[in-house]
Amino acid sequence: MDKETTQDTTLETAATTEQTAEEQPKQSDDKLTEAMKIIKETASEEDPKPSQQLSLRTILGGDLLSTQVVRSQIWLIIMIVVIAIVYVAFRYQCQQDMLTIDRMEEKLKDAKFKALSSSSTLTEKCRESHVLETLKQNKDSLLHQADQPPYIIEVPE
């Protein structure tokens, strides 16, 4: 009896597997089409409307940067970027100008020191005592110091 019952159950399971094998493609197709319908209903190309509440979660989650918000504020974003670029460029140019000014101030100091030293050298060489000393050293010169005071000539008007 055990053998007969086992044979009957095997036959029944074989019959049910044949039925399920035929029904499986139909069921899987039905499940697939139902899933596709659900996906089509829930999926949309539009971004969800941002909530009116501004919280830390919405900021950190990136909900603040939705397409609609970015599109409505694009000119503001562009203006801020341009202003930042101009600010950085002007700051760089200002630093370059300051470096140029520092170099020119150093050159000016050097030129002033050279002018001061050459002026003092010229003043020293133009003194009467130095000129007389130079004349004494050069004996071939016809110039000499006058023994008599200069004459004062008075011209009547």
Side-chain angles (χ1 to χ4, degrees):
M1 215 170 169
D2 286 326
K3 288 184 182 181
E4 286 180 16
T5 53
T6 54
Q7 285 178 355
D8 288 340
T9 53
T10 11
L11 288 175
E12 287 175 15
T13 53
T16 53
T17 53
E18 287 177 13
Q19 288 175 354
T20 54
E22 291 174 1
E23 292 176 2
Q24 271 185 347
K26 290 179 184 176
Q27 288 177 354
S28 64
D29 288 340
D30 291 340
K31 288 181 182 177
L32 185 62
T33 55
E34 288 177 25
M36 291 297 287
K37 286 180 185 177
I38 292 171
I39 290 173
K40 284 182 181 178
E41 290 173 1
T42 57
S44 67
E45 292 181 13
E46 296 292 322
D47 286 336
K49 297 280 183 186
S51 63
Q52 297 298 326
Q53 296 176 346
L54 188 63
S55 66
L56 183 63
R57 184 176 184 177
T58 59
I59 293 171
L60 293 178
D63 297 337
L64 190 65
L65 298 174
S66 66
T67 307
Q68 183 180 4
V69 173
V70 172
R71 282 183 188 160
S72 65
Q73 301 296 329
I74 191 70
W75 293 112
L76 177 66
I77 294 169
I78 290 172
M79 185 179 71
I80 290 172
V81 167
V82 167
I83 288 172
I85 290 171
V86 168
Y87 176 76
V88 169
F90 279 147
R91 183 172 175 114
Y92 178 76
Q93 185 62 41
C94 181
Q95 287 177 344
Q96 294 299 319
D97 291 344
M98 288 175 66
L99 289 173
T100 305
I101 288 170
D102 288 343
R103 277 190 301 242
M104 294 177 101
E105 283 178 349
E106 288 295 320
K107 286 182 179 179
L108 181 64
K109 280 182 184 178
D110 290 343
K112 281 183 178 179
F113 287 135
K114 285 180 183 177
L116 184 63
S117 94
S118 63
S119 173
S120 67
T121 306
L122 180 65
T123 305
E124 180 186 336
K125 288 184 178 181
C126 289
R127 286 191 185 143
E128 185 179 352
S129 62
H130 191 270
V131 171
L132 289 175
E133 189 177 307
T134 307
L135 287 175
K136 283 182 185 176
Q137 288 176 358
N138 295 337
K139 298 194 181 210
D140 61 340
S141 174
L142 298 175
L143 297 175
H144 58 83
Q145 189 173 9
D147 295 338
Q148 298 177 351
Y151 294 110
I152 299 176
I153 302 174
E154 294 183 18
V155 178
E157 290 184 32

